[in-house]
Amino acid sequence: MSPTRPILLAGLAFVLSIPAVEAGPVYVASQGAGALTRIEAGAGVVAASVAVGQGIAQVAAGPDGRLYLTQPDHAGIDVVDGRTNAVLRRLPFQGQAFGIVASADGASLFVGDWAGGRLVRVSAGTGAVEGSCAVGRDPAGLVLDRKGRLYVADRESRQVSVIDTARMERLATVPVGEGPFALGLNPRQDRLYVANVRSGDLSVIETGTMAVIATVKVGGMPYGVATSADGGLVLVTNQQAGTVVVIDAASLDLKATIPVGRYPEGIAVDGVSAYVANWFSDSVSVIDLRSLTETARIPVAEGPRSLVVGAVSEAVR
Amino acid sequence: MRLALPPALLAPLAATLLLSTTALAHGPTPQKVDQSVTIAAKPDAVWAVVGDFAGMSNWHPDVAKSVGTGGNASGGRRTLTLKNGGTLDEGLDEWDAGKRSYSYRLGDADLKALPVSSYSATLTVSPDGEGSKVEWLGRFYRGDTGNEPPEELSDAAGKEAMNRYFDNGLKGLKARVEGKAKQ
């Protein structure tokens, strides 16, 4: 992965690179409609919509322009070629695939098995199992750092599991709030933000010590989290209130509350914009991170939950 | 034990766990419920009835008994005993008299009350011409969140039950506020 080709993903947020953010296309997975929608950075319209299959939950982007979508109710992972909008195949997955992230080289996928309480490493080409390890109950959001360390939000175990992906071993568990769902790693990767759906707050983990150093009250149901490209802002969707809460990363003070659509869930940062999947409203809100205002609301297929910023177009040509 | 079983055996097992512990809050496929009704009364008059979080038995025909603690504020709770014998324990997240709106969520599931494992919902009263519109919408998960749910705990069963429950409630509210006999 070249440092000039950042992939920023949130909801299951992970941030691979900091400098010279070159915005890539945003992909939105609509679970109800089973469609994957592409929005070009800076554009307020839908560039393409791909019928993948009803039930797609979370989406991950590979470095080669491929998109991977979990199918928790259909024991599989759907693969889409972002360059051609073609649905390539459904990889088999023994379990209830939910959270997903691709390895830096794109050869492997890390997949959370919701019902099985496992993290599974599979081949991105064939779906063959390459390894697995136990995590907590109902693993939700995943995030992979640049060193190959992976964090899992164990929703029903009130903890984050920390995995060494080279050995597929759990290194630690970090107790957090109730109902941790989404994870966001800052660009320096020294802070992991955990959105706790049931306790309505955000746990801040110092990754160097694996300690929770602060808990920030958000209210309602925080369902997605991401950071701005410079790491200065933490953005949290509050599903109950229909807002994005903006927190100053240094002081952890509330900086703004931005109304978006109903039941916002996943949030991803792409350059100077944040994109928010409004699950109930079937739309994506675009937030300008300089003015902290919603600048567009783009209609998409029914039930958008997860979104990811794909490789920049140069990388996929 | 669950890890050692093939998926086909997990669904009934998960259902059993849900029925016995009702603590597995959440699955991977949320569903929408979205109901509304117009009422020939001013929004304030409608809010006076529906805005009392603990007073649901005053207007919802499916609710036999409603007991609250903590009042109309974030953190308030209500325990609803339904006429079907089930119980719903719900917590208030936000309550805003200015917007005439409140948001709440289910605590522990009771599949006898509603065949769903978790939900959150928002009820809002807004002006509509000379009268009011009440919108009640929510997000829920089916009763069995495993891969192969039995029919009575499927997405379809959850949708039917939640839509019926919301629809019955709004009809009851309309009848109550417009002065017609309560069921």
Side-chain angles (χ1 to χ4, degrees):
Chain A
M1 176 76 46
S2 154
T4 58
R5 290 175 182 170
I7 295 174
L8 310 181
L9 173 147
L12 325 164
F14 79 131
V15 180
L16 291 179
S17 184
I18 315 165
V21 174
E22 210 176 334
V26 176
Y27 292 93
V28 187
S30 289
Q31 189 166 30
L36 179 70
T37 300
R38 189 176 87 236
I39 299 167
E40 293 298 339
V45 294
V46 168
S49 185
V50 182
V52 180
Q54 201 277 328
I56 51 173
Q58 301 280 322
V59 56
D64 52 1
R66 292 202 173 164
L67 286 309
Y68 301 92
L69 299 111
T70 49
Q71 281 280 9
D73 287 349
H74 299 110
I77 299 159
D78 290 332
V79 186
V80 175
D81 185 339
R83 296 166 295 190
T84 61
N85 299 328
V87 180
L88 300 178
R89 65 185 69 89
R90 176 171 293 174
L91 305 173
F93 185 82
Q94 288 298 313
Q96 218 170 13
F98 188 74
I100 185 165
V101 64
S103 63
D105 64 4
S108 299
L109 304 172
F110 299 97
V111 186
D113 177 358
W114 185 279
R118 299 178 303 152
L119 176 77
V120 185
R121 177 179 179 144
V122 302
S123 159
T126 66
V129 174
E130 298 173 342
S132 83
C133 76
V135 293
R137 287 168 58 198
D138 295 4
L142 313 180
V143 56
L144 179 64
D145 78 4
R146 288 187 289 268
K147 293 177 179 167
R149 182 177 283 189
L150 191 143
Y151 302 90
V152 185
D154 295 333
R155 195 186 196 282
E156 292 306 311
S157 297
R158 301 174 188 179
Q159 69 189 19
V160 170
S161 285
V162 186
I163 312 293
D164 175 348
T165 57
R167 293 182 297 149
M168 286 303 283
E169 280 180 20
R170 180 153 62 174
L171 301 173
T173 57
V174 184
V176 292
E178 284 186 56
F181 187 81
L183 301 176
L185 200 54
N186 71 342
R188 283 167 55 187
Q189 305 199 328
D190 59 350
R191 293 288 183 277
L192 179 71
Y193 301 99
V194 185
N196 302 306
V197 169
R198 267 205 298 286
S199 49
D201 51 22
L202 186 77
S203 300
V204 183
I205 295 174
E206 184 178 70
T207 57
T209 60
M210 291 301 161
V212 173
I213 56 167
T215 301
V216 183
K217 194 73 196 163
V218 174
M221 300 176 91
Y223 246 100
V225 58
T227 64
S228 57
D230 65 1
L233 301 176
V234 186
L235 312 162
V236 185
T237 54
N238 180 348
Q239 194 171 78
Q240 277 284 62
T243 58
V244 171
V245 173
V246 183
I247 295 162
D248 183 287
S251 68
L252 297 180
D253 290 334
L254 175 68
K255 197 164 166 123
T257 302
I258 306 168
V260 291
R262 282 172 168 166
Y263 282 82
E265 189 162 332
I267 179 166
V269 169
D270 193 9
V272 294
S273 299
Y275 295 79
V276 182
N278 299 314
W279 174 77
F280 198 97
S281 302
D282 302 331
S283 63
V284 170
S285 289
V286 185
I287 292 171
D288 176 14
L289 294 176
R290 294 159 299 196
S291 62
L292 296 180
T293 55
E294 183 189 43
T295 55
R297 199 173 289 187
I298 304 168
V300 297
E302 188 197 341
R305 296 183 69 193
S306 167
L307 29 71
V308 65
V309 179
V312 295
S313 42
E314 282 73 21
V316 299
R317 272 178 196 148
Chain B
M1 181 177 73
R2 297 179 65 197
L3 295 182
L5 292 170
L9 295 180
L10 285 176
L13 179 58
T16 306
L17 288 173
L18 274 169
L19 288 165
S20 56
T21 70
T22 70
L24 301 175
H26 187 291
T29 316
Q31 304 292 328
K32 290 176 187 174
V33 53
D34 186 5
Q35 298 273 345
S36 62
V37 71
T38 55
I39 296 179
K42 296 290 184 198
D44 285 343
V46 178
W47 180 247
V49 175
V50 81
D52 179 18
F53 187 62
M56 200 162 178
S57 57
N58 293 329
W59 57 272
H60 198 307
D62 297 350
V63 177
K65 189 180 161 196
S66 176
V67 179
T69 57
N72 291 321
S74 177
R77 303 199 72 82
R78 68 185 176 196
T79 301
L80 309 175
T81 307
L82 302 196
K83 287 179 180 168
N84 71 11
T87 303
L88 296 173
D89 172 38
E90 297 174 332
L92 193 52
D93 281 306
E94 298 189 62
W95 189 91
D96 189 333
K99 294 179 184 166
R100 298 187 200 89
S101 180
Y102 69 79
S103 298
Y104 64 98
R105 70 178 95 173
L106 179 67
D108 290 337
D110 178 1
L111 299 175
K112 187 178 173 189
L114 291 168
V116 297
S117 55
S118 73
Y119 57 77
S120 65
T122 297
L123 190 150
T124 305
V125 182
S126 53
D128 183 72
E130 292 295 298
S132 305
K133 181 181 180 184
V134 182
E135 193 170 19
W136 195 6
L137 56 89
R139 164 168 164 140
F140 68 91
Y141 292 84
R142 66 181 177 240
D144 177 355
T145 60
N147 261 348
E148 294 171 34
E151 201 175 310
E152 69 273 17
L153 298 177
S154 64
D155 285 337
K159 270 186 216 177
E160 192 196 329
M162 290 295 278
N163 276 294
R164 189 171 59 238
Y165 179 69
F166 277 39
D167 184 53
N168 286 351
L170 290 177
K171 282 178 178 156
L173 176 65
K174 182 180 172 74
R176 163 74 198 253
V177 175
E178 291 181 354
K180 292 162 195 165
K182 196 185 162 205
Q183 274 179 266

